[in-house]
Amino acid sequence: MAGRAPTTAPTDVRPTAFLETLDERRSGEGRVLLDLMREATGSEGVMWGPSMVGYGSFHYRSPSGGAEGTWFRVGFSPRKARITLYGLLGHPRSEELIARLGKNTVGVGCVYATRLEHLDLDVLRELAAHSFQDVTAVEVVDD
C-alpha cells in the first residue's frame, strides 16, 4: 500500500515575491524571518504551497506506511492573524529555547506569535539552527 503524499510541495515562486503580496507589517516581518532562517540553517528559503517558506527538507514515513513524503526541516508563514513557525518542536532543546523565546503559543506542531517584535530573535535563530540540525534523513512519525 502506497503512503499518502502531502498536498503541499515546493513551488517555483520566490519567497521575496510572496512577501511583496503581504501587508507592510507582515512583509517586513517576513523579510526579517527570511534572513534569520537563512543564517540559522545555511539554506535558502523555498516556497512550499502558497504561503509557507521552508528550509531544507527531509523524508518522513509513518510506521504503518499510512503517511510518507518530503517536508521542510524548519520554516515560517507570516499569516494575517499571526506568524506560524514550523519544525521547532520535538527536538532535545526545544522546550528550553521556546521558554526563552518570548510571547508565543504552541500548537500541535507549530509555534505562533502575533508579532515578531514579541520574540527574542537571537533565541529564535538558535532554536531554528538547533531544530534544523536535529532532523534526520528519515523521520518516523506516528499515524
Side-chain angles (χ1 to χ4, degrees):
M1 171 187 215
R4 295 183 313 270
T7 57
T8 303
T11 72
D12 292 331
V13 175
R14 290 185 354 265
T16 53
F18 161 66
L19 295 175
E20 291 170 5
T21 69
L22 305 176
D23 67 49
E24 187 176 339
R25 180 173 55 119
R26 285 296 191 237
S27 179
E29 290 173 330
R31 286 190 300 275
V32 169
L33 287 169
L34 197 65
D35 291 340
L36 182 146
M37 293 280 193
R38 180 178 51 241
E39 291 170 13
T41 65
S43 290
E44 291 297 321
V46 173
M47 289 301 302
W48 286 67
S51 64
M52 293 181 284
V53 180
Y55 294 80
S57 64
F58 69 96
H59 186 79
Y60 66 89
R61 180 178 47 247
S62 68
S64 70
E68 183 172 353
T70 301
W71 197 247
F72 51 85
R73 290 177 180 229
V74 297
F76 71 92
S77 182
R79 300 185 188 277
K80 188 172 186 173
R82 55 192 177 172
I83 299 163
T84 305
L85 302 166
Y86 302 97
L88 305 180
L89 302 174
H91 304 286
R93 295 185 56 221
S94 293
E95 287 184 30
E96 168 211 337
L97 292 167
I98 289 170
R100 296 180 18 224
L101 185 57
K103 187 176 176 182
N104 71 82
T105 56
V106 176
V108 173
C110 304
V111 176
Y112 302 100
T114 55
R115 292 181 174 266
L116 195 57
E117 67 192 33
H118 295 162
L119 302 179
D120 182 321
L121 298 185
D122 291 331
V123 173
L124 179 56
R125 186 177 292 105
E126 184 178 356
L127 178 58
H130 171 71
S131 300
F132 186 84
Q133 291 301 319
D134 188 55
V135 175
T136 58
V138 177
E139 289 280 310
V140 177
V141 296
D142 296 325
D143 283 332

